[in-house]
Amino acid sequence: AVPVRNDERLFERRIRTLVAAQGFTEVYNHSFVSEEQALAFGFNPDEHVRVANPISSEQGLMRLSLLPNIVRNIRDNLRHFGEFRLFELGFEIHKRSSGLPDEILHLVAAVFRKDDGRANLAELKRLALCLMPGCEARPSAARSFEHPARAAGLHWQGALVGRLFELYPGVVEGRAGILDIDLRAMKEHQPG
């Protein structure tokens, strides 16, 4: 028998294929972070879902963002490469007042260069346009880990669906641009 069509899986496969076709390498990370990682990015550890029996102290919280692990991937790779592109498709896990947590699928892509990194944000904007034709990057207030002059909200079909920014100098050695897209919001606003 032909299996039932799984639209969610087809959507994820299409996103992976499009991003990989733009020269990005997929990485896989655990859905956990440590309290130190959460605090380094300005996240309140109490807002995370706590793991009842963590494997290690570095995996005591369910992640609110894919960003801490992506930054770890950047730091690991910059020891061996002067430039690279990587991405992860994964779930952010958010507490609810009752019941199971809310799992929101996100795409986080990064472009890293040890040089001035001027082209990083342009490459990520091009990737965003491949995924969401006509999207706009509008300047917005930077978060603590974002470069104050290089942070934007990503708008598509009248909704805020993500962020485009450069990491604050000192977070990593070199220049790293980041694209973070809420794929649930993207899918909800796709034209018919």
Side-chain angles (χ1 to χ4, degrees), residues 29 69-81 84 86 172:
N29 291 302
N69 287 327
I70 287 290
V71 169
R72 191 188 73 233
N73 294 136
I74 292 170
R75 288 178 180 149
D76 290 345
N77 278 283
L78 70 82
R79 290 180 290 177
H80 307 287
F81 306 103
F84 52 86
L86 50 86
V172 294

Side-chain angles (χ1 to χ4, degrees), residues 40-101:
F41 285 88
F43 301 128
N44 181 351
D46 294 332
E47 293 176 2
H48 290 72
V49 174
R50 289 200 177 270
V51 178
N53 190 13
I55 295 170
S56 76
S57 61
E58 294 178 0
Q59 298 181 342
L61 306 173
M62 301 296 288
R63 64 184 177 192
L64 280 178
S65 170
L66 280 63
L67 194 59
N69 287 327
I70 287 290
V71 169
R72 191 188 73 233
N73 294 136
I74 292 170
R75 288 178 180 149
D76 290 345
N77 278 283
L78 70 82
R79 290 180 290 177
H80 307 287
F81 306 103
E83 62 180 71
F84 52 86
R85 301 173 189 187
L86 50 86
F87 78 97
E88 181 180 12
L89 227 64
F91 289 98
E92 291 184 352
I93 293 113
H94 296 268
K95 272 187 181 179
R96 290 185 176 162
S97 56
S98 64
L100 294 173

